[in-house]
Amino acid sequence: MPGVPRIHLVSNLPGVNVLGDHLRAAGLGPTSARSADALLVLIDRPLDHVEQELLDRARQSVPVLLAGPTVRALPPGSPLLEASGLTPGRVLPAHDLHLMPGPHGGALMARAPRFVPRETWVLPEKVADDVERLIHLRHDGAEHAVCTWRPATGLGMFTLGAGPAVLADSAYHRLVGRWLRHCLGVPDGPAVLVGLLGLPDTTAVHQPAIEATEGLALTAVCDGEPRRTPAYAASRLPRQVDDPDDLVHDPELDLVVVATGNQSHLDWASRALEAGKHVVVQAPLCLAPADADHLAELAAAQGRVLAVVAAGRSDPGFEVLAAAVRRGAIGEPLRLEAYRGGWRRPTGGWRDDAAISGGQLFAQATGAVEQILALVDESVESVTATAFKRVWHHVSNADHSSLTLRFLNGAQAQITVSDLTVWPRPRLEVLGTTGSLLLDVDRGEHDVAGFAAAGALAPAGRHAGGPPVGRAGFSAVGGLGGRGEAGAGVLQVTADGVWTRYPIPLLAGIALDGIASGGAALTASALVDGVLGGGALGGDGASAAFYGALADRLVSGWPLSADLGLATARPVVSVLAAAVRSAATGGEPVTPA
């Protein structure tokens, strides 16, 4: 991991401590002004005598970076403005801002996290020729710099971060950190060489995301699938490895991705960690809490990163719903219901084999459990579960399973996994103290008619009263048109009779909060349903975000989000293991370990 310099943070903003904590976790400080390698300034009042001091530090080859409201606090003709090479113009009103790399910002934005802030910003009147334009925003058909660096004077500007919401956003923290590193000339470490271990269907999901991530180099694949490599492409494709043990012990590799059947996650993750590799495991991490603890201890002892690909939290629809819960849209969650499945004759693949998948709950409910635990900020008191085997006797997994979670604060959650249900049901519903949220991703003609009869959808925007009846009311939802599809979205119904639908963004760059104003709706079911159903990557955008964050950790030293590690993965394993035990006893309550 590359060494990183330390910075001194100068600010009077009340929410700046969160930014400081993130930079500290990334090894960037804070430290004293005298010993700092760079100064980061976020101040919303006139700087007075501080301006000259900052200029003096810049002349001493200590980069001075002015962020957030600082540029607006500077008086016209400020020597700092002159030195920065950026002449500020009018302040534009708050709106959703879609950031893009400027001419000099390709590396800075290469693995930038999803970030569409809603904030005012300063439209520059002029940018000097020798200024590096790192991040742009588009306005009136033209691109304008919002983040800059001028090597000749040692001054940089980043005019976002004036409002508390942006200042508290972890994606903004990451961009500020990247900006600091760019201005200090701190390069990333070498590319991480990756080995991918799995089955043909699982490696096919991970491989494109790994190959598209700057900082990761897919070097070897072991999935039992023979590959015919054209001569002209031989230098660009990863080499095929026949023996999994050879892959995890390959001295060339830095990272091993374990995407095998659930039952073997513990074995291969342990071997890879013991071989000194960083390890990524496709959710679920393993099948028992004690095994999760063993892997955590092994990773700590080896000083290696152990990360888990989210199964449900990365679902774009869930992110929209979770954002509504976080902002208190329905009060405190009391009753949650999740559903996975439909009428399906199992194919007989490994996910239908209890000995390999760990059973129907581990195979299909991992994502739902992950989502439920993310929405209720309380410990699980008990788990009860039942499972039925009546129809699909050519496979060993159950046909229909259900589990109930009871939380210490009294909240309850019901998760149903079924290969026997012919009636469409919402994937997730949350009943709160002041309203309800419903995640609906069923888009077929039959589904629309069924949901219309049930009164489960509402038109876009905010409307008092109940939902429309009939297909005409649905054709407007999500803006899909043509077939009268409902479109994907999250429906919010509050106690005062207001119905609000939030469409699900199609691409990673589309905002998740406040998108009822007409953001793009999801049209590709794979992005929500996930290529691997109940326990894998939640679509192309989610997998790209995961591997981008992982690369940031391994080549840049940024802290890895708790959502990608054991803090999230172990409780999921604990609940599912308790559910398996409960189902084996016919539904007796079990306390998760």
Side-chain angles (χ1 to χ4, degrees):
M1 187 183 304
V4 286
R6 297 178 65 79
I7 59 98
H8 179 62
L9 181 59
V10 181
S11 180
N12 70 325
L13 305 183
V16 80
N17 288 340
V18 180
L19 171 61
D21 291 343
H22 178 88
L23 297 176
R24 181 184 297 106
L28 285 170
T31 187
S32 66
R34 187 173 300 276
S35 60
D37 298 301
L39 301 180
L40 176 62
V41 183
L42 294 95
I43 293 180
D44 62 358
R45 63 171 183 262
L47 301 182
D48 301 327
H49 65 282
V50 177
E51 287 190 60
Q52 186 59 50
E53 181 181 343
L54 294 175
L55 276 174
D56 291 342
R57 294 304 303 273
R59 294 190 183 102
Q60 298 168 15
S61 300
V62 178
V64 174
L65 307 182
L66 310 179
T70 309
V71 66
R72 307 180 198 187
L74 297 174
S78 165
L80 283 175
L81 290 178
E82 181 181 354
S84 73
L86 186 147
T87 303
R90 69 184 190 276
V91 178
L92 297 181
H95 59 283
D96 291 345
L97 306 178
H98 297 269
L99 308 183
M100 62 189 73
H104 305 90
L108 186 150
M109 295 287 286
R111 293 189 304 273
R114 177 167 50 201
F115 182 48
V116 185
R118 185 174 183 83
E119 191 178 53
T120 63
W121 63 289
V122 178
L123 184 71
E125 287 185 356
K126 183 179 179 181
V127 180
D129 293 339
D130 62 341
V131 169
E132 295 181 359
R133 292 168 292 168
L134 305 174
I135 303 177
H136 275 184
L137 286 171
R138 184 174 292 277
H139 177 71
D140 284 345
E143 294 184 11
H144 301 276
V146 71
C147 180
T148 63
W149 166 242
R150 196 179 194 185
T153 60
L155 277 164
M157 291 281 193
F158 192 1
T159 59
L160 293 186
V166 173
L167 193 61
D169 196 304
S170 61
Y172 176 71
H173 305 160
R174 187 66 57 91
L175 286 177
V176 170
R178 289 170 174 269
W179 178 43
L180 281 162
R181 288 171 60 94
H182 174 88
C183 300
L184 286 161
V186 179
D188 283 342
V192 174
L193 304 186
V194 182
L196 177 54
L197 172 61
L199 301 165
D201 61 338
T202 59
T203 58
V205 176
H206 290 266
Q207 183 166 344
I210 297 171
E211 291 178 333
T213 302
E214 183 174 328
L216 301 181
L218 185 59
T219 305
V221 175
C222 179
D223 60 3
E225 184 79 354
R227 282 179 169 78
R228 295 181 179 179
T229 304
Y232 68 87
S235 62
R236 301 198 300 268
L237 293 180
R239 53 185 167 80
Q240 186 70 23
V241 178
D242 295 327
D243 189 336
D245 202 56
D246 289 343
L247 184 137
V248 299
H249 288 96
D250 188 333
E252 182 183 13
L253 301 179
D254 307 302
L255 167 70
V256 171
V257 177
V258 177
T260 58
N262 298 339
Q263 185 275 337
S264 62
H265 287 181
L266 171 65
D267 183 28
W268 290 116
S270 296
R271 295 194 197 189
L273 287 169
E274 290 168 350
K277 314 298 185 187
H278 301 293
V279 173
V280 166
V281 182
Q282 177 178 288
L285 172 62
C286 52
L287 302 182
D291 295 340
D293 295 337
H294 169 72
L295 289 174
E297 293 169 1
L298 187 56
Q302 295 286 351
R304 302 289 92 181
V305 171
L306 174 61
V308 182
V309 182
R313 294 173 70 108
S314 58
D315 180 327
F318 172 73
E319 292 185 1
V320 175
L321 184 145
V325 172
R326 286 194 298 269
R327 62 177 177 263
I330 59 167
E332 180 186 1
L334 297 177
R335 172 76 183 179
L336 305 91
E337 294 191 32
Y339 170 76
R340 299 291 185 272
W343 182 266
R344 179 187 80 101
R345 176 182 172 83
T347 62
W350 69 267
R351 291 184 185 84
D352 301 316
D353 187 333
I356 301 176
S357 68
Q360 189 182 43
L361 291 174
F362 271 104
Q364 298 185 52
T366 299
V369 172
E370 193 176 283
Q371 292 175 354
I372 295 293
L373 296 183
L375 293 173
V376 182
D377 188 19
E378 188 57 84
S379 299
V380 178
E381 182 178 38
S382 66
V383 176
T384 59
T386 57
F388 300 96
K389 184 69 175 176
R390 298 290 188 273
V391 179
W392 308 122
H393 296 290
H394 64 292
V395 297
S396 55
N397 271 359
D399 300 332
H400 180 100
S401 303
S402 64
L403 63 148
T404 300
L405 285 69
R406 298 181 183 276
F407 294 86
L408 289 175
N409 64 351
Q412 296 184 20
Q414 176 78 36
I415 300 173
T416 301
V417 178
S418 179
D419 291 330
L420 302 177
T421 302
V422 296
W423 183 255
R425 298 175 60 181
R427 288 170 60 88
L428 183 60
E429 184 174 2
V430 184
L431 170 66
T433 53
T434 62
S436 296
L437 287 161
L438 183 146
L439 172 59
D440 156 49
V441 294
D442 292 293
R443 291 163 297 279
E445 294 282 349
H446 171 74
D447 295 348
V448 171
F451 273 86
L457 297 176
R462 300 175 61 83
H463 300 271
V469 177
R471 181 161 308 197
F474 292 100
S475 61
V477 179
L480 300 182
R483 297 172 50 204
E485 295 180 344
V490 171
L491 173 67
Q492 174 185 313
V493 186
T494 52
D496 56 2
V498 175
W499 296 66
T500 306
R501 172 173 284 280
Y502 303 100
I504 299 172
L506 175 63
L507 300 175
I510 298 174
L512 293 177
D513 292 324
I515 54 179
S517 59
L522 183 73
T523 58
S525 61
L527 290 182
V528 174
D529 298 335
V531 182
L532 302 183
L537 300 179
D540 293 341
S543 56
F546 170 81
Y547 281 109
L550 181 68
D552 265 352
R553 171 67 180 86
L554 297 178
V555 304
S556 300
W558 302 118
L560 196 64
S561 167
D563 292 349
L564 306 181
L566 292 171
T568 297
R570 190 196 186 281
V572 173
V573 171
S574 180
V575 166
L576 287 169
V580 171
R581 290 168 53 201
S582 176
T585 65
E588 292 293 324
V590 174
T591 300

